[in-house]
Amino acid sequence: MHSPSGLELAGLACLVAAVPAVAYLGQSGRRHTGAARRAHLLLAAGGAIATAAALAGLASALLGGHHHDPGHIRTLATAVAIGMGCGILVLLAGTVALPGATRGPAAAVRHVLDGLVIAAAIWFVGWVLISRPTRILGDLTPYPCVAVLLPAVLAVLALGLTAVMTLHAHRPRRNTVRVSAGVSLVAVAATALCGGICRERDAFALASVFVLTAGLILVAYAVRAADRPVEVTGDVLERGGAYAVVPMVAMIAALGYHLVRGGEMDALGYFGAAVVGLALVARQYLALDDVRRYTVQLRQREAHFRELAHTDPLTGLANRRGLQRALRDSPENAALIGIDMDGFKIVNDMRGHDVGDAVLVEVGVRLRRNLLAGDVAARLGGDEFAVLMHGDAEEAVLAAHRLLAVLGEPYEVDGGPIFLSASVGVADTGELLHDADLALRYAKQRGKNRVERYQAGYDELLRRRGTLQGELRHAIDRDQLRLVFQPVVALPSMRPVGAEALLRWTHPDLGPVRPDEFIPVAEESGLINRIGAWVLEQACKQLADWLAKGHDVWVSVNLSPKELHNSDYAGQVADVLAEYGVPPQRLVLEVTEHAVATDMEELVGRLAELRETGVRIALDDFGAGYSSLTQLRTLPVDILKIDHALVAEPESRTGTAAPLVDVVVRLGHRLGLEVLAEGIGSPAQREVVEEAGCRLGQGSLFGWGVPAEHFETRLRTLRPSGPRPLPAPRSTPPSDAPARSQVVRLGPGMRQVRALLPSDPDFADQNVGSVDSGREMGQG
């Protein structure tokens, strides 16, 4: 048996030193997760296989004593080449799998092909240098040992992959390139070891051991940071193709040099050229396939983004740009329906934007549900929608009325149902989008919840609306506003017991402006709060004057929904009452039934705050909206004002005129409410109201709104002659006296009990001396 020298033992010891590097790679793989874990375990497995093959081959070659048996040497070299080749392939796979090495499996294949092109070029140049007549290695040329070819091929492949990683890997590339360079050293070491064994060059074999160990240590050192976050950068192919040109130039130059020196092409040369050609063809095919797939993706994304650019993201309907595109492609018999949801801003303010978005989504669902083939529904922004349909003007108007009914149904959302109406404008000629918008704005101006078809005069009307908005801002300062008072009479005596304060505007140039024209302008422009505060102050000022003159009367003031949603409105009312010394029971605030339906929960709280000040609340236009029995039991109101539409109702099938008036009066009395019938314009209507048991009336039969001095003249004519008796002096009860009860007469046959505290002026005597009494409300 051959006794190993000290140098040989040093080589074996150095090879054994590679084992800790392999162990570290395995430990790193177990410590990491995901792609890093897979890559590190592959590197550990590849290093272990290469190290084991090298250790077995070197030990067998140095210690086996068969140096002079050529067959055994070639078999040993082949076995070592196959073993280390398998390990190098696993190492290459681990290198490609490292995080940041490639962007995916397809990119990994491209990298391998790019490395193969470079490797084939290196192979071809190497073949030129070691073949005849060059033979730069001389006698060391490993022709007799075919086993060297496998590790040599893998070595040039590893070098090519290292070059590709240097160009393609994501930043920071340093650690990935180190791993690839370490694998290249292992491949070079395998080539040297197989060559040393095959040519019986112990120096080559021992040198390969040091190179193998260095390569594995370099790999182990580099993987510590190879899985850190990387920066995804563009592929080098996007900057040029020099990586493929340089190997081809090198091959052509080497082949020319070889032929000039008298060399010939053999199987190895043809093999290198064929590999380069096939690799380039495969790489070009993949590149073309990438371009094709990328083009398809670009087209799909372009179509997707184009669709997004024309689609509303919340409702899924077309947006304004999509509607304009549909308008360009629409036929001549097209009509456009513009839709705006009335009172939607209040929903957003009081219930939140999430609830508002849910309502908008439901609006989109209802519009889609009522579309015909070829129609286009769009959300133009906010709570504004449009429907482009095919048909003439009559069909468009019918469709608009159908949509008005559909959109007016309750919206069931979290926190309770929401009631909204819609204003609809229809245009079938001219500039559809412009004309439908004008018709829509005119519908909102005329009271909302209606359908308007575009007419040529709308442009002038909207110009006037703009003028009104500008002039209304200065109407108070220029003393252009005034109040008129419409009597509220007791039935059947028709004696005035109260008055409703109505706002009038007379402009020096525009003349008298109707309330139904400028009030919506004030609502939309935000001026209603200032105007409402002025109306409240003037009404209380006039009421204080009348009370000071001894007139037994109360005044009602209309309350805008926007005023009602002001959190400090109750405090403002209390301040005005205190400023003019008006008893709170003498002031009645009227809120419309539509405002009740907009936000029930918020409204109940606001009205309760107002009632705490002592004022009375009247529910105006009852019977024309959405009120229900449940709402009447919940709302803190004192008076029901029957809508004029119920008073003017024709005879029913039973022959009884206005049957709903009787129902509403009975309902109000059963709930402890006073009932006032408005819109009485004829003696016949007055008789119907009286027969129903209603004791308060208002309408043209009793007089229109008149200036304060005219109404005061009427009050003076009805006052009894002689001085008004003074009330008896009241004794002040002790502050700790128990509370008493007081019976208040609300109407015919109705009583209500309220608690009296010691601080109440009525505590000492049981006389009811405010508007609580039937006489003050016109019941005496």
Side-chain angles (χ1 to χ4, degrees):
M1 178 177 291
H2 173 69
S3 298
S5 64
L7 182 62
E8 293 170 343
L9 291 177
L12 290 174
C14 182
L15 187 61
V16 173
V19 175
V22 175
Y24 177 82
L25 290 173
Q27 182 181 3
S28 177
R30 290 191 298 270
R31 188 173 62 250
H32 290 82
T33 59
R37 177 185 180 91
R38 182 170 57 254
H40 292 186
L41 290 179
L42 285 174
L43 291 174
I49 294 172
T51 302
L55 184 61
L58 184 62
S60 178
L62 296 180
L63 304 177
H66 300 288
H67 288 71
H68 301 292
D69 186 354
H72 177 75
I73 291 175
R74 286 193 293 272
T75 302
L76 180 60
T78 301
V80 173
I82 294 174
M84 295 194 70
C86 293
I88 294 170
L89 287 174
V90 177
L91 286 170
L92 290 174
T95 303
V96 175
L98 281 173
T102 62
R103 280 188 275 185
V109 174
R110 289 195 299 271
H111 288 359
V112 172
L113 289 175
D114 293 340
L116 189 59
V117 171
I118 298 174
I122 297 174
W123 171 275
F124 191 87
V125 173
W127 164 77
V128 169
L129 295 178
I130 66 175
S131 62
R132 293 185 178 86
T134 306
R135 298 197 68 186
I136 61 173
L137 296 181
D139 294 339
L140 297 178
T141 303
Y143 279 121
C145 188
V146 181
V148 179
L149 293 178
L150 178 60
V153 169
L154 294 177
V156 295
L157 180 59
L159 292 174
L161 189 60
T162 301
V164 172
M165 290 297 175
T166 304
L167 297 174
H168 288 254
H170 300 157
R171 292 188 178 93
R173 303 187 181 102
R174 180 173 58 254
N175 297 302
T176 305
V177 174
R178 285 174 179 172
V179 172
S180 183
V183 175
S184 299
L185 289 178
V186 174
V188 171
T191 304
L193 179 60
C194 293
I197 294 175
C198 189
R199 299 302 299 270
E200 299 186 42
R201 302 284 183 174
D202 293 346
F204 272 28
L206 294 176
S208 67
V209 170
F210 293 98
V211 175
L212 174 65
T213 304
L216 291 176
I217 293 175
L218 179 61
V219 171
Y221 171 77
V223 297
R224 292 186 307 168
D227 60 327
R228 292 176 183 173
V230 294
E231 177 186 354
V232 179
T233 57
D235 193 285
V236 72
L237 292 179
E238 299 174 359
R239 302 190 297 270
Y243 83 99
V245 175
V246 173
M248 293 300 299
V249 172
M251 288 182 61
I252 294 173
L255 179 60
Y257 173 77
H258 181 68
L259 295 178
V260 169
R261 293 291 300 271
E264 297 179 354
M265 290 285 289
D266 58 10
L268 295 177
Y270 283 117
F271 173 76
V275 170
V276 171
L278 292 175
L280 286 175
V281 170
R283 185 64 178 85
Q284 185 65 19
Y285 174 80
L286 290 179
L288 292 176
D289 185 66
D290 288 343
V291 171
R292 180 187 61 79
R293 285 189 289 105
Y294 185 65
T295 303
V296 172
Q297 291 177 359
L298 283 181
R299 290 176 179 174
Q300 293 174 345
R301 290 178 182 177
E302 181 183 3
H304 175 67
F305 289 129
R306 186 184 297 112
E307 187 64 24
L308 287 180
H310 294 85
T311 303
D312 176 60
L314 179 63
T315 62
L317 304 177
N319 57 14
R320 183 177 294 272
R321 191 178 292 109
L323 179 63
Q324 290 173 342
R325 181 179 63 177
L327 285 171
R328 289 193 300 267
D329 301 334
S330 63
E332 295 183 357
N333 63 333
L336 186 64
I337 302 174
I339 304 169
D340 189 89
M341 304 304 297
D342 302 329
F344 179 76
K345 185 178 183 302
I346 298 178
V347 176
N348 266 345
D349 293 342
M350 309 314 300
R351 302 285 291 274
H353 289 277
D354 291 340
V355 174
D357 289 346
V359 171
L360 293 178
V361 171
E362 177 61 22
V363 170
V365 171
R366 296 184 185 183
L367 290 179
R368 268 194 298 265
R369 194 184 301 146
N370 288 271
L371 291 181
L372 299 178
D375 294 350
V376 177
R379 180 189 176 211
L380 305 183
D383 59 343
E384 189 175 353
F385 296 83
V387 173
L388 178 64
M389 59 170 293
H390 306 292
D392 54 23
E394 288 72 17
E395 293 174 338
V397 171
L398 289 176
H401 281 285
R402 184 177 69 251
L403 293 177
L404 184 68
V406 169
L407 298 178
E409 297 176 358
Y411 294 84
E412 299 295 336
V413 294
D414 294 339
I418 291 178
F419 296 91
L420 292 177
S421 62
S423 299
V424 182
V426 179
D428 58 297
T429 58
E431 299 182 12
L432 295 180
L433 193 57
H434 174 267
D435 295 349
D437 184 61
L438 291 182
L440 171 61
R441 294 172 62 185
Y442 188 67
K444 296 184 74 68
Q445 180 182 356
R446 295 193 62 186
K448 306 179 181 179
N449 194 25
R450 58 187 299 119
V451 176
E452 290 290 339
R453 182 183 173 189
Y454 173 77
Q455 298 178 14
Y458 285 174
D459 296 275
E460 179 61 31
L461 290 173
L462 290 175
R463 277 194 294 270
R464 174 178 170 85
R465 188 178 183 87
T467 302
L468 292 179
Q469 182 172 341
E471 294 297 321
L472 189 57
R473 295 183 180 277
H474 310 287
I476 295 178
D477 300 332
R478 295 171 180 173
D479 198 24
Q480 297 172 0
L481 298 180
R482 63 187 178 92
L483 291 182
V484 298
F485 298 86
Q486 185 176 25
V488 176
V489 303
L491 298 176
S493 65
M494 293 192 295
R495 182 175 63 86
V497 294
E500 180 178 358
L502 303 173
L503 182 62
R504 296 293 182 262
W505 179 24
T506 302
H507 191 272
D509 298 326
L510 301 175
V513 185
R514 299 191 317 274
D516 61 350
E517 187 177 12
F518 71 82
I519 292 298
V521 174
E523 292 273 1
E524 294 181 7
S525 61
L527 297 172
I528 193 63
N529 288 328
R530 184 186 176 199
I531 294 176
W534 182 88
V535 170
L536 177 64
E537 182 178 2
Q538 295 300 313
C540 289
K541 181 179 180 181
Q542 184 60 63
L543 178 58
D545 181 64
W546 286 337
L547 293 177
K549 294 177 180 180
H551 297 300
D552 231 356
V553 68
W554 48 269
V555 171
S556 66
V557 175
N558 290 288
L559 181 59
S560 167
K562 290 192 176 182
E563 293 179 277
L564 189 59
H565 286 97
N566 184 358
S567 60
D568 193 38
Y569 187 73
Q572 297 176 13
V573 172
D575 292 341
V576 173
L577 293 173
E579 179 181 357
Y580 293 101
V582 175
Q585 296 86 349
R586 299 279 183 171
L587 178 65
V588 178
L589 296 178
E590 299 186 12
V591 59
T592 63
E593 190 180 12
H594 178 72
V596 173
T598 302
D599 197 320
M600 184 71 178
E601 181 179 354
E602 177 70 19
L603 185 64
V604 169
R606 292 287 184 262
L607 293 180
E609 293 175 1
L610 285 173
R611 289 191 76 193
E612 289 177 0
T613 66
V615 301
R616 291 181 173 272
I617 306 298
L619 185 61
D620 198 7
D621 300 334
F622 182 78
Y626 307 102
S627 291
S628 65
L629 293 177
T630 303
Q631 290 175 338
L632 286 180
R633 294 178 63 88
T634 305
L635 285 172
V637 297
D638 305 282
I639 304 171
L640 286 184
K641 295 191 69 174
I642 305 176
D643 186 72
H644 61 85
L646 298 185
V647 175
E649 183 185 14
E651 292 187 1
S652 65
R653 290 176 296 179
T654 62
T656 304
L660 290 181
V661 173
D662 182 73
V663 173
V664 174
V665 172
R666 291 176 181 273
L667 174 64
H669 289 169
R670 291 295 299 272
L671 293 176
L673 305 176
E674 187 57 86
V675 182
L676 188 157
E678 58 181 345
I680 301 176
S682 66
Q685 293 175 353
R686 189 197 72 186
E687 291 178 4
V688 170
V689 171
E690 290 178 358
E691 290 176 1
C694 184
R695 293 296 178 259
L696 291 176
Q698 181 181 356
S700 60
L701 182 64
F702 314 119
W704 297 101
V706 294
E709 55 271 18
H710 294 178
F711 184 74
E712 183 178 350
T713 301
R714 185 173 178 182
L715 291 176
R716 280 199 301 266
T717 61
L718 297 175
R719 283 187 59 188
S721 59
R724 186 173 184 175
L726 296 176
R730 299 175 179 176
S731 60
T732 303
S735 59
D736 57 349
R740 300 178 182 174
S741 297
Q742 180 187 45
V743 178
V744 179
R745 185 165 180 249
L746 296 174
M750 292 183 298
R751 298 292 187 271
Q752 178 176 323
V753 179
R754 70 185 181 101
L756 288 178
L757 300 177
S759 58
D760 196 302
D762 295 330
F763 183 87
D765 58 342
Q766 295 299 320
N767 296 325
V768 182
S770 69
V771 78
D772 288 328
S773 68
R775 180 176 57 82
E776 298 292 349
M777 291 297 295
Q779 301 298 328

